[in-house]
C-alpha cells in the first residue's frame, strides 16, 4: 500500500494532472492513468496519512482479521423470529435491510414487503390498512443488522417468520436469517399478493416444522467447509448457490427422512428445497455475518464488518465503531435485465446480502464462478479480474475459501477502509435488481460498487478517534 505522503508531495509540486499526456525525451508521448490518493482531497489525505502504518491501527486490524478467520459458523437450529430475537416478541417490530430508514423514505420494494409482512402477521386485513399502520407509526422498524440478523433484498423479517440460527462454534455470537422464498414474485422484492402470502404461511408452518426437525436430527451443520466446497463447484455463494444448495440438500434430506414427518409434508418440503437453487443464500448470509460479528468491537480497526443497502442509502460499519453507520446514496446496479425492463425501472442497490462480499465471497469470489456472468453480465475473464482486484483493498486472504482459477489462492477478505481511499478501488458486489415499484418483483441481476463516500466518512471518523484516544 503506497504512502499518501509521497503522493501528496507530487500534488504540491503542481503535478496533479499527471494523468495527461506527458512528452518524454525524444518526443514520445504516453498516457498515465494516475490519481492521487483520497481523490486529491488534502484533508482526507492527511487523515489517511495519519492512519497508514499506524501501530495501533495495524495491531487492531490483526486482531479483528484473526477473529474473522477463526470464526466457525455452524447451523444449530431453526426458530420463529420472536423466539430467536427477544425484541420481536415485545412489540410490533419489523426488521429491514440496510441502515436505518423511516417509512416515508423507504423505496417501493421495501414498503411493499413491509405491507406484506403486516398482512402476514394479521395486523391488518387489507394492503390499505397495512400501509396506514406503517405510515401512522403503529409498527416499529429497525435494521436486521441491529438484531444480529440479515435478509436479502428488502430484508424484511416479522415476528412469525422462521429463521436459520447460525452460531460461531469458536465464540458466543449468533446470526439469523429468514428462509429463501425462491424466484418470481416474492416478498423480498416487494410483492405481497395472496399467492406470496400463502407461500409465506406455508413456509412458516409446514416447511418450518420439517426443516427444524431435520436440523435437530442432523445435530447441526458446519457451514464453512460446505461453502468452501461450493466455491470449487462453481458457486460464489451470493447470486449463485446451486452447488451449495445441493450440498445442503444431501445433508438435510436423510435427516428429514429420519425425522418421521408426515409423508405429504415431507414431499412438499423436499420438492420446495430441490426446486430453489437460491435456498442456501440466506444461510450463506447468516454464516458471513457470524464470521464478521466475531470481530467484536476492536478500537482503531479499519476493517469493514458490514456493507448493506436499503434501496436509498448504502451503509458500512467498521470493527472499531460497532453499530455506527457511514452512509451514502445507494448506487444503481449495472446488469442484465429481464425482457421488457431497463435501468429506468430499477430500484437502487438493495439488501443485506452484501455481507457475503464483506466476508470475501460473492463478487470477491467471482473467479470461482465463471458461469455467474450469464446472470450478472460481463465475461469469465472479468470475473477472475474482479477477484484479483479486490486483493488491493483487503487485509489479507481467507485460506479456507480458495479459488481454483487463481491457483487455489484464498479469496480477498477483510476490507480495509484505508485501502479503499488510498487506491480508489471500490468493493464490487453481485446483486439482484428489484423493480422500483412494489409488487413487480425481480427484473434482473448485475454488478454494482459500494459508494466511495461511505469509506471517506469512515476514514475521517477513524482518524478523529485516533487523535482523541488517550
Amino acid at each position: 500500500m503506497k504512502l499518501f505522503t509521497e503522493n501528496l508531495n507530487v500534488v504540491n509540486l503542481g503535478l496533479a494532472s499527471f494523468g495527461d499526456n506527458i512528452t518524454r525525451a525524444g518526443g514520445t508521448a504516453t498516457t498515465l492513468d494516475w490519481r492521487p490518493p483520497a481523490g486529491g482531497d488534502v484533508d482526507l489525505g492527511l487523515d489517511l496519512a495519519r492512519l497508514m502504518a499506524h501501530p495501533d491501527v495495524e495491531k487492531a486490524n490483526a486482531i479483528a482479521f484473526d477473529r474473522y478467520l477463526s470464526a466457525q459458523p455452524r447451523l444449530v437450529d431453526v426458530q420463529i423470529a420472536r423466539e430467536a430475537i427477544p425484541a420481536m416478541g415485545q412489540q410490533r417490530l419489523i426488521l429491514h435491510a440496510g441502515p436505518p430508514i423511516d417509512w416515508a423514505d423507504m423505496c417501493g420494494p421495501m414498503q411493499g414487503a413491509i405491507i406484506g409482512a403486516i398482512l402476514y402477521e394479521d395486523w391488518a386485513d387489507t394492503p390499505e390498512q397495512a400501509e396506514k399502520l406503517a405510515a401512522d407509526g403503529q409498527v416499529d422498524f429497525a435494521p436486521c443488522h441491529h438484531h444480529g440478523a440479515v435478509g436479502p433484498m428488502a430484508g424484511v423479517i416479522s415476528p412469525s417468520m422462521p429463521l436459520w440460527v447460525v452460531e460461531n462454534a469458536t465464540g458466543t455470537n449468533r446470526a439469523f436469517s429468514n428462509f429463501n422464498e425462491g424466484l418470481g414474485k416474492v416478498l423480498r422484492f416487494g410483492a405481497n399478493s395472496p399467492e406470496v402470502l400463502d407461500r409465506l404461511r406455508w413456509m412458516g408452518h409446514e416447511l418450518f416444522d420439517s426443516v427444524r426437525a431435520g436440523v435437530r436430527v442432523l445435530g447441526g451443520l458446519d457451514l464453512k467447509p460446505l461453502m468452501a466446497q461450493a466455491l470449487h463447484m462453481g458457486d460464489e455463494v451470493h447470486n449463485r448457490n446451486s452447488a451449495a444448495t445441493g450440498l445442503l440438500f444431501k445433508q438435510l434430506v436423510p435427516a428429514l427422512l429420519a425425522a418421521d414427518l408426515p409423508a405429504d409434508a415431507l414431499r412438499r418440503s423436499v420438492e420446495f428445497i430441490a426446486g430453489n437453487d437460491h435456498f442456501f443464500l440466506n444461510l450463506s448470509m447468516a454464516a458471513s455475518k457470524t464470521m464478521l460479528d466475531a470481530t467484536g468491537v476492536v478500537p482503531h480497526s479499519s476493517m469493514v464488518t458490514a456493507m448493506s443497502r436499503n434501496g436509498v442509502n448504502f451503509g458500512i460499519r467498521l470493527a472499531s465503531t460497532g453499530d455506527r453507520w457511514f452512509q451514502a446514496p445507494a448506487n444503481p446496479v449495472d446488469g442484465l435485465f429481464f425482457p421488457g425492463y431497463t435501468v429506468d425501472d430499477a430500484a437502487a442497490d438493495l439488501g443485506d446480502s452484501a455481507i457475503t462480499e464483506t466476508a470475501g465471497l460473492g463478487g470477491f469470489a467471482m473467479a470461482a464462478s465463471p458461469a455467474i456472468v450469464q446472470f450478472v453480465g460481463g465475461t469469465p475473464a472479468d470475473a477472475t479480474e474482479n477477484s484479483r482486484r479486490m486483493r488491493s483493498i483487503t487485509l489479507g486472504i481467507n485460506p479456507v475459501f480458495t479459488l481454483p482459477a487463481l491457483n487455489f489462492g484464498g479469496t480477498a477478505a477483510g476490507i480495509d477502509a484505508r485501502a479503499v481511499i488510498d487506491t480508489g478501488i471500490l468493493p464490487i458486489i453481485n446483486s439482484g435488481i428489484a423493480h422500483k415499484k412494489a409488487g413487480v418483483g425481480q427484473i434482473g441481476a448485475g454488478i454494482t460498487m459500494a459508494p466511495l463516500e461511505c469509506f471517506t466518512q469512515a476514514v475521517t471518523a477513524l482518524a478523529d478517534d485516533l487523535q482523541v484516544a488517550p
Side-chain angles (χ1 to χ4, degrees), residues 98-145:
I101 190 168
D102 294 331
W103 167 262
D105 298 324
M106 291 178 184
C107 66
M110 186 171 287
Q111 288 190 340
I114 286 173
I115 288 171
I118 291 172
L119 294 171
Y120 170 78
E121 295 293 336
D122 291 323
W123 296 340
D125 296 324
T126 67
E128 292 76 19
Q129 291 176 2
E131 183 173 0
K132 189 173 189 307
L133 279 180
D136 289 349
Q138 297 184 56
V139 178
D140 294 322
F141 305 113
C144 291
H145 274 289

Side-chain angles (χ1 to χ4, degrees), residues 4 70 77 81 86 90 116 157 213 241 248-249 255 275 287 303 308 331 370 404 421 454:
F4 173 83
S70 299
D77 203 2
Q90 302 166 6
I157 297 173
N241 283 276
L248 174 67
F249 191 77
M303 178 174 157
S308 189
N331 287 328
I421 297 301
C454 296

